[in-house]
Amino acid sequence: MATIHVDGNAYEVDGSDNLLHACLSLGLDIPYFCWHPAMGSVGACRQCAVKQYKDENDTQGKIVMSCMTPAADNSWIAIDDEDARDFRARVVEWLMTYHPHDCPVCAEGGHCHLQDMTVMTGHSQRRYRFAKRTHRNQYLGPFIAHEMNRCINCYRCVRFYNDYAGGTDLGVFGMHNNLYFGRHEEGTLESPFAGNLTEVCPTGVFTDKTHTRHYTRKWDLQYAPSVCHQCAVGCNTSPGERYGSVRRIENRYNGELNGFFLCDRGRFGYDYVNRDDRPRRPEWRSEQRDSATRITELDVDPALDRGADLLRRADRVIGIGSPRASLESNHQLKTLVGEDNFSTGIAAAEQACLARMAEVDAEGMLTTPTPREVERHDAVLVLGEDLMHSAARLALSVRQAVLGIREALAEERGIPQWNAEAVKTLAQDSRHPLYIAYPAATELDAISAASLRLAPDDIARLGYAIAHELDAEAPAVADLDEATQTQAREIAQALLAAERPLVLSGGSLESTAIIDAAESIARALGRKEVNRREKRGGLMLVRREANSAGLALMGGQPLERALERVSLGHADALIVLENDLFERLPDAAVSDALSRAEGIIVIDHQRTPTWQRAHLGLPAASFVEADGTVVNLEGRAQRFYQVYDPRHLRPESRLHAGWRWLDALRASLGRSAGEPLTFARAVADCARAHPALAGMEDAGGHAELPGALKLARSPHRYSGRTSMRADIAVSEPRMPQDPDTPFEFSMEGYSGFDRPRRQVPFAWAPGWNSPQAWNKFTDSVGGHLAGGDPGVRVAGAAGSAQRGYPAAEAIPAAFTPREGRFQLWVLPRLFGGEATSSRAEAIAERTPAPSLRLSAADARALDAQSGDTLTLIVGETRLSLALHVEAELPDGLVTLPAGVLPGAPNGEWVTLANPAGKEER
């Protein structure tokens, strides 16, 4: 700690910070542009000037840049000094000489850091009267709009894109004050984190193109704290709504999870909730005498009556849940149909992996780190995961872990960690060791110590061999080739040498053998830690969907078992919750079961093929229209809140949360008119019924502030609500009321930062309209929310390991290619591999054309080359795709991107037709 004196007042601060960081953490305002809490200081903009004095007796002082000056003990500075104020005013005037005066039409207007800083410095009049340099803008893809004339040359964009996120296709060109930040040629930005430029850039150079299509100023949006539903990481988001549609997704700061950044799927994959073809009223589907299908729209009560009649006529009802639905909705379905009749809606192979991962987490051989803690590990092993496609935000954390050696090297030489360019220059290409075992190339290969291309069974064998190298009591791998043995020894030595080794694995390849191998490594490392207690190893297991981990803790039958019972006549009615069964199993198996069911009720917010087969469709509210709880891959239960009431602007709609529909259906079935289910009771019922989820009630409180003061969903400048329904009715109804959560559907209520709270719907503070306002809500800049980071761990806590190593017989045999046949593996992909985000227009445009991938040797055997069309034959299914030859893919494998062939079985041996289609090989 250090004592600094600012404008005559003494403060205790962290002496390792710079003065800008220290002052902002104290709540003192200093304008800045180039500095960012996640990226450190480069001193490029000169905007954060303060006056520094030698001691309390110095009256002269000197101007220094606070971002490049350490917060040393007994420092004396002045922010409010006249010379410092004048210096800052001149700097912002220089920066603004070429900036266009286009705030009224700029998509950044209203949450622009440049606007905030010009106001803070008092710059309100332009004196520059000469010709301005101008640039042509570039097309940068469907996510990002480009307006180079607004640039102030702060370098934030390239520092984030290249240094922090590892992108290679964005650069800076030119010299002096005539710089150009863009690509070497027009084209889509390749980094899956490019969307963060919209918040990193302090001006309107890089803006959200999906937002621009239906633009609304920040102060006219309505927000709520939410959780990204596009993967299992559970990043915190702030969806903004206007006129009954989501206009943009912004990052919501969580010090333990996503920090300041989101992946592009999470940021831009929201548009499926705005689709015009969404079901908004209950639909009854009936067959006519001429075999035509008649669809009738119903109101809520008639729909519930018909649904109850369907269930009364059934001898047994099967409920099929979903890892995309909330815990509360899945629990209500389970309660309605009974535990023995509840299915998770997950295919058996994936569910086996989920169950195994839940067991491994519960045993706690090593702790499960948060994504922030991942960044502090100094050796990483990834088994069977391409993190950039299965958990992109986690991949960004792994990148920071690998580059974390910079901090250690800087500390040895006394260089402060915030001195970003000096630390980067010192480290050069030094990295902590990262080892990746995966069938195909990954985007982290460029920074890995070794990337091994192996078939899934061989990945598991490598993992077991590493465990044996770590601990001789672990079973040895029979018939292991010398190259793999050498690699196993090298990886084991790197893990042992590290102070904080990390093992990352998961269920992307649907291989329990890989998970068991990762567990064995964790067990071996855990046993070593008994004798070296200063070591802090970690184990993290990646799941597929937003609530996969939570649903595994709840339990239920796999999807195949549920459909089998219907096909065999052991059940005759189905209730399907927010799940398209055709995405999970082959069409034939699903169609057969649905054709045999006498009653099908589907609750969903998308018009899926499963919805089209329902007798009764009940329109579900999406994550922005309902409250709920999900559990992420680290076992953190998190609450997402309703952003807006869909009926306020669409009175004809009948959207309700899945748990509300199911409770109402249960009441109709029992012909009881009890009290409607409240959200608080839905949460309590779920927690009480499932001991593993007991902590979920603490994921969010009903009222966080003293006196039950409600929280505002909108900034205090919110306007226009009184005219939004003018085209519907002259009279203005009362704003929707929300008794279930601590929020108001308006700007009424508390929106400040001086009372600590976990659930912050949007970042705003006086003078801070941009995303930089999150600095006002944290205990220190870049730290944790002052009220605590949202969410609570309900699973995965460290404990004592009870089981021993698996038997040697559990180790799979080495993979052996088969003549004329190929083992099929469906690999995750960030864009196009997730069902709901794939329905968003921008994501669909960003999705690359799918292809089959083979090794060079296998392609030669088929007399094929990249670009040729091959036909994949899986049972009765044929799929023709272009071939991409991947040189390092193991022989005998064929890979397919997720989302192309729903229900394709991983690990099945398939055949391929040659380019001419004459022969199967």
Side-chain angles (χ1 to χ4, degrees), residues 107 141-145 207-216 245-248 268-272 274 839-845:
F143 297 155
I144 305 296
T207 54
D208 184 340
K209 187 178 287 188
T210 68
H211 182 210
T212 305
R213 290 202 305 264
H214 41 205
Y215 186 72
T216 303
S245 67
V246 179
R247 300 303 175 92
R248 71 180 299 167
F268 301 112
Y270 65 87
D271 214 26
Y272 64 91
N274 297 330
R839 293 171 170 262
E841 182 180 334
I843 295 292
E845 185 177 342

Side-chain angles (χ1 to χ4, degrees), residues 373-387:
E373 291 169 343
V374 166
E375 299 181 5
R376 295 197 286 270
H377 286 270
D378 55 353
V380 183
L381 169 63
V382 181
L383 281 181
E385 289 290 331
D386 182 353
L387 294 175

Side-chain angles (χ1 to χ4, degrees), residues 324-358:
R324 289 199 288 266
S326 67
L327 291 174
E328 294 82 5
S329 294
N330 278 291
H331 171 68
Q332 288 299 317
L333 177 58
K334 192 172 187 178
T335 301
L336 176 62
V337 301
E339 184 172 352
D340 293 339
N341 299 319
F342 176 73
S343 167
T344 59
I346 302 172
E350 182 182 353
Q351 183 157 326
C353 290
L354 290 173
R356 189 72 194 92
M357 288 189 278

Side-chain angles (χ1 to χ4, degrees), residues 228-231 265 268-273 275 322 324 545-546 578-580 583-584 604-606 608 622-623 832-841 843-844:
C228 178
H229 278 51
Q230 313 310 326
C231 81
R265 184 164 79 183
F268 301 112
Y270 65 87
D271 214 26
Y272 64 91
V273 305
R275 288 177 64 99
S322 170
R324 289 199 288 266
E545 295 177 82
E578 298 181 37
N579 202 339
D580 183 10
E583 294 170 4
R584 302 186 183 273
D604 209 339
H605 48 75
Q606 300 296 311
T608 67
S622 67
F623 74 100
E834 193 275 329
T836 53
S837 63
S838 299
R839 293 171 170 262
E841 182 180 334
I843 295 292

Side-chain angles (χ1 to χ4, degrees), residues 109-150:
H111 58 184
C112 174
H113 185 64
L114 178 60
Q115 286 179 334
D116 291 346
M117 298 301 97
T118 53
V119 172
M120 189 177 294
T121 54
H123 176 63
S124 59
Q125 184 176 358
R126 296 192 180 208
R127 295 184 293 170
Y128 185 79
R129 294 293 182 268
F130 307 99
K132 297 184 177 185
R133 59 103 176 96
T134 56
H135 296 291
R136 295 185 64 181
N137 302 321
Q138 291 182 323
Y139 169 79
L140 298 179
F143 297 155
I144 305 296
H146 189 228
E147 177 51 78
M148 251 311 295
N149 293 319
R150 298 170 182 153

Side-chain angles (χ1 to χ4, degrees), residues 15-18 68 70 407 410-411 413-420 422-423:
S16 64
D17 292 336
N18 57 47
M68 298 298 294
E407 300 175 0
E411 186 176 1
R413 291 159 177 78
I415 299 175
Q417 295 179 4
W418 46 260
N419 195 340
V423 171

Side-chain angles (χ1 to χ4, degrees), residues 72 286 400 622 725 824 858:
S286 57
Q400 308 320 308
S622 67
R725 297 180 83 262
L824 174 63
D858 287 339

Side-chain angles (χ1 to χ4, degrees), residues 183-219:
R183 301 183 84 247
H184 68 286
E185 63 180 3
E186 285 196 341
T188 300
L189 288 171
E190 296 171 0
S191 171
F193 304 103
N196 292 292
L197 294 175
T198 64
E199 294 186 23
V200 167
C201 176
T203 74
V205 177
F206 301 100
T207 54
D208 184 340
K209 187 178 287 188
T210 68
H211 182 210
T212 305
R213 290 202 305 264
H214 41 205
Y215 186 72
T216 303
R217 298 293 186 191
K218 178 175 182 175
W219 59 75

